[in-house]
Amino acid sequence: MTEYLIRFVIGGLVVSAFAVLGDVLRPKSFAGLFGAAPSVALATLGIAVAIHGADYAAIQSRSMMFGAIALAIYCIVVCQLLMRARMRALSASLLAIAVWLIAALGLQALFPGGA
């Protein structure tokens, strides 16, 4: 329970810092880049280093990067299905979830690693 409390506090502080950074930067469209996801990831990695060590945090970092790459592929596929195939948003996003899963698991299989 203590780990969740620490994650909540650190995540909240980092979210606030990123929000201030996003508010200062121009154009305002950059503000979304500094939302909750990067700060939660940083809080999680900080706790992972403190509790489990750098090797464990490196594995988590690699998995986060693979997830981000898979998400980018997912977004491209959804956009293509919406624009070119003229699919409905729900159908396109549900179909692309399979693409995301294949991409994420494929990257894990292509680049295995561990501590």
Side-chain angles (χ1 to χ4, degrees), residues 48-112:
V49 168
I51 294 175
H52 302 287
D55 291 336
Y56 180 79
I59 294 170
Q60 280 193 338
S61 298
R62 188 176 55 84
S63 296
M64 287 179 189
M65 288 187 289
F66 290 162
I69 292 167
L71 180 63
I73 294 168
Y74 166 87
C75 292
I76 291 168
V77 169
V78 168
C79 287
Q80 294 301 313
L81 289 174
L82 291 174
M83 292 186 306
R84 295 183 190 252
R86 302 270 186 221
M87 291 180 74
R88 293 186 160 282
L90 179 62
S91 302
S93 59
L94 288 175
L95 182 62
I97 286 176
V99 173
W100 174 84
L101 186 61
I102 291 167
L105 294 177
L107 285 168
Q108 287 285 93
L110 283 174
F111 302 103

